Amino acid sequence: GFGGIDVCAEASRAEEALDLALIHRPDIVLMDLSLPGRSGIEAMGAIHAELPSVRVLIMSMHDDTQHVRSALERGAAGFVVKDAAPLELELALRTAVAGEVFLSPRLSSRMMAPLFGRPRSEGIDALSNRQRQILDMIGRGLSSKEIGVELGISVKTVETHRARMMEVLGCRRANELVLFAARLGRDPA
């Protein structure tokens, strides 16, 4: 348990989640999409219909954007991947209780593009100035070592920035970042 968060009941089936929610009227329900029975998303809809003020946080092994999107469209208070760290889960619960929507960081970068119909380059806004600088240099074909020398930072620091940028921009492989950077260099911002 987390400080200030009391677990009042646990359901083993999706249908049971609704019954328990009606009995206990919790502030928040953490709904696992892989429960047997009705789909968690349907069960969430049923809970919302009966108890509009209850926030439902979805937990799932499926981190495909389709699942996430349909959950959010139906009013989920957020989406946590199943192997999330306890700290992330606590943050998700607190965020949901506060009335905001929480998305696992692993999902948000993947979601942002199609969710708002924007090109992936929107992720650039999330980069620091230093990271944009490095991205620009990657786009010009500089190696991590050359970038380090030019910026007066260690290769390790450049690599750390690179990894962070890949995460933010949703690149899975290093060459995607290079392609992204190169494309960016060609497109006037």
Side-chain angles (χ1 to χ4, degrees):
F2 304 116
I5 296 175
D6 300 316
V7 175
C8 57
E10 288 187 43
S12 54
R13 295 177 64 79
E15 295 86 348
E16 196 187 351
L18 175 59
D19 292 337
L20 289 169
L22 286 168
I23 295 165
H24 295 280
R25 299 183 174 261
D27 298 316
I28 187 156
V29 172
L30 181 60
M31 172 86 73
D32 187 337
L33 279 194
S34 53
L35 284 180
R38 268 208 314 215
S39 93
I41 291 185
E42 276 177 45
M44 176 181 79
I47 290 173
H48 277 158
E50 297 280 345
L51 301 164
S53 65
V54 174
R55 310 275 294 159
V56 181
L57 186 65
I58 298 286
M59 188 180 225
S60 174
M61 301 182 314
H62 310 290
D63 55 0
D64 62 278
T65 48
Q66 203 45 55
H67 263 97
V68 182
R69 199 168 308 134
S70 55
L72 293 177
E73 278 167 2
R74 295 200 169 105
F79 207 98
V80 185
V81 286
K82 211 145 187 192
D83 53 7
L87 197 67
E88 186 179 311
L89 184 56
E90 180 177 5
L91 183 63
L93 289 166
R94 294 195 187 289
T95 304
V97 169
E100 317 246 331
V101 173
F102 179 88
L103 262 192
S104 277
R106 196 163 93 205
L107 290 167
S108 48
S109 57
R110 216 176 303 172
M111 285 291 297
M112 287 317 171
L115 195 64
F116 300 116
R118 294 179 185 163
R120 270 240 280 243
S121 55
E122 283 298 316
I124 303 254
D125 297 340
L127 300 181
S128 66
N129 287 337
R130 171 64 97 200
Q131 288 169 341
R132 285 181 216 199
Q133 208 178 0
I134 293 173
L135 192 61
D136 180 54
M137 294 164 111
I138 291 172
R140 297 205 309 267
L142 274 70
S143 69
S144 291
K145 195 174 170 192
E146 291 167 323
I147 293 171
V149 168
E150 194 163 324
L151 297 178
I153 56 179
S154 72
V155 173
K156 191 168 170 18
T157 302
V158 176
E159 290 299 335
T160 305
H161 277 306
R162 263 187 125 118
R164 183 79 198 97
M165 290 191 289
M166 283 175 66
E167 207 177 298
V168 169
L169 300 169
C171 302
R172 297 193 177 180
R173 290 181 292 278
N175 63 340
E176 280 185 43
L177 186 66
V178 175
L179 288 168
F180 184 89
R183 218 173 40 235
L184 210 64
R186 281 202 307 273
D187 302 338

